[in-house]
Amino acid sequence: MVRGSLGKLASRALSVAGKWQHQQLRRLNIHEYQGAELMGKYGINVPRGAAAGSVEEVKNTLKNVFPSEKEIVVKSQILAGGRGLGTFKSGLQGGVHIVKAEEAESLAAKMLGQILVTKQTGPQGKIVSKVYLCEKLSLVNEMYFAITLDRNTAGPLIIACSKGGTSIEDLAEKYPDMIIKVPIDVFKGITDDDAAKVVDGLAPKTADRQSSIEQIKKLYELFCKSDCTLLEINPLAETADNKLVAADAKLNFDDNAAFRQKEIFAMRDTTQEDPREVAAAKADLNYIGLDGEIGCMVNGAGLAMATMDIIKLHGGTPANFLDVGGSASEGQVVEAFKILTSDDRVKAILVNIFGGIMKCDVIASGIVNAAKQVDLKVPVVVRLEGTNVDQGKRILKESGMTLITAEDLDDAAEKAVKASVK
């Protein structure tokens, strides 16, 4: 239930840079089973469970971890929300099932290696490489809990609701008074009073109040010590034995903290990511794949955003956000072209460089070398301006390449859109 459910509510705390800007990769996303293992290390109550990547592992897990369980929860593991209501391309309905223990192995076999399509994966879906086998909990109440980062208070913000297990956006729309927000002073940390306010907002029916306060404090400790950008639990549930349990959780981590969170970042599952973005990260390029037909290579995030906007203004659709930065090498430019041309949907490429720190001649040399290594089958529109622009234009002219040159951004976007429909 939890994957991606913060939506509109979180967007009020985390500003969005624009319509075409997807959330730029500054947060590692890990699987549910990995999040449960991490929370368990901090003393947070989680369901007993284990991940399995093959039918044989499923069989051993059932034998060693759940020898006496009558029912098992089998959860497909992909980095996307809506798994429960998803559909496998094989025809199997639902990525989360509660089944009899003797049926778990055959069900897992139908999930592993298959493509699961949900509202968040897009029609291409994501492959299920692991399933998470969990004990079936007897839940008496479901609530919502999240910690995110709030620009207004310049610190962590705890969001809680006494109802959970369903979309928090829907709850916020129907019952706005049920949503509570508790800002935390980043210098003081969470206090007993802060945690008590959260527990009062959750309004647990049977769970011990003091134990609940301690669980909230442990969740905050995990958020800070692990450099989280988001910790979302939906549902945060009460069990029949009067405990608060993180029944399903989503955790994101700040990529800037990778140097001190090596153990966490070792959990990264690149098979769940856009291969273009993985390649871009290796080349130290800022790339986000979109679904348009005009590939963009620009220096500077602001200029990249403006370039995508003006492409849209002229009736086109950008295929990506790609900022080569101010100090890109020829090699990085070559890699950028390889990434752009690997997208079958790209019908034209627009190179828009305003040379300041980034020099136009370096970009030009990169374009020429890229053309030698990559079979360019689509038209390339180039607009260069700034440092060493004359040298850059000369390099392109002497290369013999068939390029479409543009004098300014408006001219470049118009030519790129026209080239993409020929």
Side-chain angles (χ1 to χ4, degrees), residues 276 287 293-297 319-320 322 333-351 367 370-380 401:
R276 298 169 300 173
Y287 177 94
E293 70 284 346
I294 299 176
C296 305
M297 185 171 74
N320 62 274
L322 174 54
V333 175
V334 171
E335 287 302 314
F337 258 89
K338 288 180 179 179
I339 294 167
L340 292 178
T341 54
S342 69
D343 187 344
D344 293 334
R345 290 173 295 194
V346 170
K347 304 303 180 186
I349 294 173
L350 171 54
V351 179
I367 293 172
K372 295 176 181 178
Q373 299 181 40
V374 179
D375 185 15
L376 286 175
K377 297 180 180 179
V378 298
V380 178
M401 291 178 63

Side-chain angles (χ1 to χ4, degrees), residues 65-82:
V65 182
F66 304 107
S68 58
E69 295 288 337
K70 294 182 179 180
E71 290 185 301
I72 298 292
V73 184
V74 183
K75 299 183 176 184
S76 55
Q77 297 294 283
I78 61 171
L79 296 179

Side-chain angles (χ1 to χ4, degrees), residues 298 302-311 314 350-352 381 383 406-416:
V298 191
L303 187 59
M305 293 295 294
T307 302
M308 291 190 291
D309 284 341
I310 203 164
I311 286 172
H314 282 283
L350 171 54
V351 179
N352 182 26
V381 180
R383 180 254 183 167
E407 294 303 317
D408 55 39
L409 178 52
D410 191 63
D411 182 40
E414 186 176 2
K415 288 179 176 177

Side-chain angles (χ1 to χ4, degrees), residues 64-366:
N64 299 323
V65 182
F66 304 107
S68 58
E69 295 288 337
K70 294 182 179 180
E71 290 185 301
I72 298 292
V73 184
V74 183
K75 299 183 176 184
S76 55
Q77 297 294 283
I78 61 171
L79 296 179
R83 292 171 297 161
L85 298 176
T87 302
F88 285 89
K89 288 191 174 181
S90 63
L92 176 65
Q93 295 293 316
V96 178
H97 291 264
I98 300 174
V99 297
K100 295 179 180 179
E102 58 268 24
E103 298 172 356
E105 185 179 336
S106 61
L107 176 63
K110 296 176 182 178
M111 292 181 170
L112 289 167
Q114 299 299 314
I115 303 295
L116 177 60
V117 180
T118 76
K119 287 184 177 181
Q120 293 186 15
T121 63
Q124 73 277 8
K126 288 184 180 290
I127 190 167
V128 176
S129 299
K130 286 183 181 291
V131 293
Y132 187 32
L133 307 177
C134 297
E135 63 177 325
K136 180 190 174 186
L137 296 175
S138 178
L139 306 182
V140 298
N141 187 27
E142 295 185 352
M143 300 156 287
Y144 176 90
F145 175 91
I147 309 177
T148 186
L149 296 172
D150 181 29
R151 291 185 184 275
N152 293 329
T153 60
L157 178 71
I158 297 179
I159 302 169
C161 182
S162 57
K163 289 186 178 291
T166 187
S167 167
I168 187 63
E169 293 90 350
D170 292 341
L171 291 173
E173 198 171 308
K174 294 179 182 177
Y175 311 105
D177 294 339
M178 298 180 70
I179 307 292
I180 70 150
K181 300 178 183 179
V182 181
I184 306 299
D185 187 319
V186 71
F187 298 106
K188 293 180 181 178
I190 191 167
T191 65
D192 287 341
D193 286 344
D194 293 331
K197 287 179 185 177
V198 175
V199 171
D200 290 341
L202 291 169
K205 296 177 180 178
T206 61
D208 178 74
R209 177 178 171 80
Q210 190 56 44
S211 296
S212 298
I213 288 174
E214 291 303 315
Q215 283 290 298
I216 300 303
K217 290 167 71 175
K218 288 176 180 178
L219 286 164
Y220 181 80
E221 180 186 14
L222 164 61
F223 181 87
C224 292
K225 289 187 175 180
S226 298
D227 289 298
C228 291
T229 56
L230 173 67
L231 189 163
E232 186 182 25
I233 301 173
N234 189 19
L236 177 63
E238 283 184 275
T239 61
D241 56 353
N242 303 332
K243 288 183 179 180
L244 280 188
V245 176
D248 194 356
K250 175 185 176 72
L251 291 92
N252 290 163
F253 305 87
D254 193 332
D255 281 358
N256 292 315
F259 72 97
R260 65 184 178 203
Q261 300 290 351
K262 290 182 172 59
E263 185 176 344
I264 290 174
F265 277 77
M267 298 179 185
R268 183 180 181 187
D269 184 358
T270 56
T271 66
Q272 294 284 306
E273 300 176 24
D274 186 329
R276 298 169 300 173
E277 295 183 10
V278 175
K282 289 180 179 178
D284 200 23
L285 296 168
N286 297 311
Y287 177 94
I288 300 170
L290 301 175
D291 54 6
E293 70 284 346
I294 299 176
C296 305
M297 185 171 74
V298 191
N299 67 314
L303 187 59
M305 293 295 294
T307 302
M308 291 190 291
D309 284 341
I310 203 164
I311 286 172
K312 187 67 178 175
L313 182 66
H314 282 283
T317 308
N320 62 274
F321 170 100
L322 174 54
D323 169 20
V324 297
S327 57
S329 64
E330 280 188 32
Q332 286 175 298
V333 175
V334 171
E335 287 302 314
F337 258 89
K338 288 180 179 179
I339 294 167
L340 292 178
T341 54
S342 69
D343 187 344
D344 293 334
R345 290 173 295 194
V346 170
K347 304 303 180 186
I349 294 173
L350 171 54
V351 179
N352 182 26
I353 301 298
F354 189 85
I357 301 173
M358 184 72 254
K359 297 175 182 176
C360 293
D361 57 323
V362 174
I363 290 290
S365 296

Side-chain angles (χ1 to χ4, degrees), residues 394-408:
R394 186 175 65 251
I395 291 170
L396 293 177
K397 185 177 181 180
E398 294 174 354
S399 70
M401 291 178 63
T402 303
L403 300 171
I404 302 172
T405 58
E407 294 303 317
D408 55 39

